[in-house]
């Protein structure tokens, strides 16, 4: 009965989202109704919702805000565009897909998906015009790389929120996520488009002279600022886990904290890029504004998650999963994938699934791999209820059939390979 109640809540959530109700409002409504139907007293429901919101945002809101600031600074200073130009020169037009793929990975780490998409789309169009290659041949590497960073790598909202819920180490998530991201992005962004698209590779220009590059920051400064938070977190995590106790270890523990790493990266970016303080603060403000609704959706998702936990639904799922004899990683992926197909939003699907599968953490798997499994499931089969689907369709002027045959399949490839990669890593832990 409890599972049927949750199913009703998810159907109601889907209906509200289809009716264009804000996901934040829809999640709050469904949280209250589901809690009441599960037999929780009114006072307990509202206390649970407050606990869920506070617990979810408490450990991650500054990471999200600083990550948004970092991404906006990199965008406004031109560092993202400079990285693109350098990689195109390095790889050459013959290997232009690889340049776009690596650019998407580098730019996608500090920038949120929508921002990274908007920054890179004009460059994809410019490269397509210069090389006379099919637009989708270049668009899919960009989309695949941005998708894997969105699903697997901090400081993106989904992985950060799940890390908080599952009590997982953000540094380890980043390391495991990087191991997964590169081969999966290659499969979805290089191999897949080459299988479905026929392109004429002859008569491709060999020189590249982008307009306005002289106004952009140097390559060294661009790469340093874009990659600094990732480097700090990885170095801190490695030092924390592999150094014995000593005077230096507290420093590595300090650097491995994502809030510290991002704060240092923001300050270094302002200094290195020589941005006037007033302009830098304007960029930081705009960056936070751009993710305000994302933060609120995550907060409401945390409320729904807490209702599912406090009502005991997670324990029911745990008991049922024992009879299915499925790995908790597979079950977490499957539940999240079903929610993704139903609800559309990757972040909402991941947060909703987390409340259901949280009791499975510790059942022979690490919380970091549970985060990545849920992240992989949240990318499964994007279709008409997902804003990413429509962005890809409209920007590249595709029909629904073409979008299903390219974007949707690419996202599904990333999701399935993500689960496979998580299962492989689990064999070595």
């Amino acid at each position: 009965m409890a599972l049927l109640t949750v199913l009703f809540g998810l159907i109601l959530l889907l209906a509200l989202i289809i009716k264009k109700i804000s996901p934040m409002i829809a999640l709050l409504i469904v949280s209250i109704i589901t809690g009441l139907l599960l037999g929780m007293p009114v006072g307990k429901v509202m206390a649970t919702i407050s606990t869920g919101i506070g617990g979810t945002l408490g450990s991650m809101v500054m990471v999200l805000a600083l990550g948004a600031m970092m991404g906006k600074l990199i965008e406004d200073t031109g560092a993202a565009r400079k990285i693109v130009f350098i990689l195109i020169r390095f790889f050459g037009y013959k290997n232009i897909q690889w340049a776009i793929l690596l650019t998407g990975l580098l730019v996608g780490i500090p920038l949120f998906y929508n921002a990274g998409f908007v920054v890179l789309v004009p460059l994809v169009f410019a490269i397509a015009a210069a090389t006379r290659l099919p637009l989708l041949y270049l668009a899919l590497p960009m989309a695949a790389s941005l998708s894997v960073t969105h699903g697997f790598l901090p400081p993106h909202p989904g992985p950060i929120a799940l890390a908080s819920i599952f009590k997982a180490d953000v540094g380890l998530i980043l390391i495991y996520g990087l191991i997964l991201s590169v081969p999966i992005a290659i499969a979805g962004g290089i191999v897949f488009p080459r299988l479905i698209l026929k392109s004429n590779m002859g008569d491709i220009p060999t020189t590249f002279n982008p307009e306005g590059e002289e106004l952009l920051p140097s390559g060294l400064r661009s790469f340093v600022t874009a990659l600094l938070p990732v480097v700090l977190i990885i170095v801190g995590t490695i030092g924390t886990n592999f150094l014995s106790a000593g005077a230096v270890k507290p420093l590595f523990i300090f650097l491995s904290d994502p809030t510290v790493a991002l704060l240092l990266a923001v300050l270094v970016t302002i200094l290195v890029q020589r941005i006037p303080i007033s302009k830098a603060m304007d960029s930081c403000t705009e960056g936070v504004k751009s993710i305000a609704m994302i933060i609120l959706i995550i907060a409401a998702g945390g409320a729904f998650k807490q209702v599912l936990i406090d009502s005991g639904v997670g324990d029911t799922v745990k008991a049922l999963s024992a009879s299915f004899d499925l790995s908790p990683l597979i079950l977490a992926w499957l539940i999240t994938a079903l929610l993704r197909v139903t609800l559309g939003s990757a972040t909402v699907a991941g947060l909703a699934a987390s409340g259901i599968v949280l009791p499975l953490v510790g059942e022979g798997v690490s919380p970091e791999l549970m985060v990545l499994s849920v992240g992989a499931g949240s990318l499964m089969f994007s279709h008409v209820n997902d804003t990413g689907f429509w962005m890809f369709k409209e920007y590249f002027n595709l029909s629904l059939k073409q979008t299903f045959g390219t974007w949707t399949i690419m996202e599904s490839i990333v999701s399935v390979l993500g689960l496979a990669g998580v299962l492989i890593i689990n064999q070595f832990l």
Side-chain angles (χ1 to χ4, degrees):
M1 191 64 189
L3 293 179
L4 290 176
T5 301
V6 174
L7 179 61
F8 169 76
L10 294 173
I11 293 172
L12 177 60
L13 180 60
L14 173 61
L16 292 174
I17 292 175
I18 289 175
K19 291 294 184 181
K20 307 301 182 184
I21 302 295
S22 164
M24 179 204 74
I25 296 175
L27 280 164
L28 286 177
I29 293 172
V30 170
S31 298
I32 294 171
I33 293 176
T34 302
L36 293 174
L37 290 178
L38 288 170
M40 298 174 68
V42 176
K44 176 65 173 175
V45 169
M46 300 316 298
T48 295
I49 288 174
S50 297
T51 300
I53 291 173
T56 301
L57 288 186
S59 60
M60 60 170 285
V61 66
M62 292 310 300
V63 175
L64 292 176
L66 288 167
M69 293 178 187
M70 185 69 190
K72 189 63 176 174
L73 287 171
I74 291 172
E75 178 184 349
D76 289 350
T77 58
R81 287 175 59 85
K82 183 68 175 184
I83 290 172
V84 172
F85 296 152
I86 290 173
L87 291 176
I88 289 174
R89 282 204 184 89
F90 180 80
F91 283 93
Y93 276 129
K94 290 288 185 180
N95 300 305
I96 197 65
Q97 279 187 307
W98 294 95
I100 293 174
L101 185 84
L102 185 54
T103 299
L105 290 172
L106 294 176
V107 172
I109 291 173
L111 286 179
F112 293 117
Y113 181 89
N114 289 352
F117 191 96
V118 172
V119 167
L120 294 181
V121 158
L123 296 164
V124 168
F125 276 99
I127 294 169
T131 59
R132 296 181 289 279
L133 288 169
L135 191 58
L136 286 175
Y137 189 78
L138 306 173
L140 285 169
M142 175 201 72
S145 56
L146 291 177
S147 291
V148 297
T149 58
H150 177 73
F152 301 137
L153 300 181
H156 285 271
I160 287 293
L162 293 171
S164 172
I165 292 168
F166 291 141
K167 309 299 182 188
D169 186 302
V170 172
L172 288 178
I173 293 172
L174 182 56
I175 292 173
Y176 296 156
L178 287 170
I179 293 172
L180 292 177
S181 295
V182 175
I184 292 173
I186 291 171
I190 303 292
V191 178
F192 172 60
R194 289 185 179 182
L195 290 175
I196 65 170
L197 300 171
K198 294 181 179 179
S199 60
N200 178 15
M201 300 296 289
D203 300 325
I204 298 176
T206 57
T207 59
F208 180 62
N209 297 302
E211 295 182 6
E213 187 178 6
E214 65 278 359
L215 302 176
L216 299 176
S218 70
L220 178 61
R221 284 191 286 155
S222 298
F223 277 102
V224 166
T225 53
L227 298 178
L228 185 59
V230 175
V231 172
L232 289 176
I233 292 173
I234 290 177
V235 169
T237 301
I238 292 173
T240 300
N241 287 282
F242 292 100
L243 283 181
S244 57
V248 182
K249 187 167 184 176
L251 175 61
F252 286 102
I253 295 174
F254 184 69
L255 290 177
S256 67
D257 187 286
T259 302
V260 173
L262 283 164
L263 178 59
L264 290 174
V266 167
L267 296 175
V268 170
T269 298
I270 294 172
L271 294 174
V272 170
Q273 300 289 6
R274 305 186 186 97
I275 313 169
I277 294 297
S278 59
K279 184 177 179 180
M281 293 303 102
D282 287 341
S283 293
C284 291
T285 301
E286 289 302 313
V288 174
K289 285 181 180 178
S290 70
I291 66 157
M293 184 52 69
I294 293 176
I295 291 176
L296 293 175
I297 291 171
I298 289 173
F304 185 49
K305 173 266 305 182
Q306 197 65 39
V307 166
L308 296 178
I309 292 172
D310 288 1
S311 64
V313 171
D315 294 328
T316 303
V317 172
K318 182 178 179 180
L320 283 175
S321 66
S323 62
F324 292 145
D325 195 28
L326 279 178
S327 162
L329 294 172
I330 296 176
L331 191 63
W333 178 88
L334 183 60
I335 291 172
T336 311
L338 291 173
L339 291 173
R340 156 70 159 183
V341 173
T342 304
L343 304 176
S345 168
T347 303
V348 173
L351 289 169
S354 68
I356 299 174
V357 303
L358 182 59
L360 303 179
V361 175
E363 296 289 312
V365 295
S366 74
E368 292 78 23
L369 291 185
M370 285 292 283
V371 169
L372 293 173
S373 182
V374 170
S378 73
L379 299 175
M380 184 63 180
F381 201 79
S382 166
H383 60 98
V384 294
N385 60 359
D386 178 26
T387 55
F389 177 93
W390 293 105
M391 283 181 67
F392 194 85
K393 176 186 180 299
E394 296 303 322
Y395 267 98
F396 298 112
N397 194 28
L398 305 175
S399 66
L400 279 174
K401 181 180 179 181
Q402 289 172 320
T403 312
F404 275 112
T406 54
W407 164 264
T408 301
I409 293 178
M410 182 275 294
E411 285 280 272
S412 300
I413 289 172
V414 168
S415 177
V416 173
L417 291 181
L419 172 63
V422 166
L423 294 175
I424 292 171
I425 292 175
N426 188 52
Q427 296 300 310
F428 293 94
L429 297 182

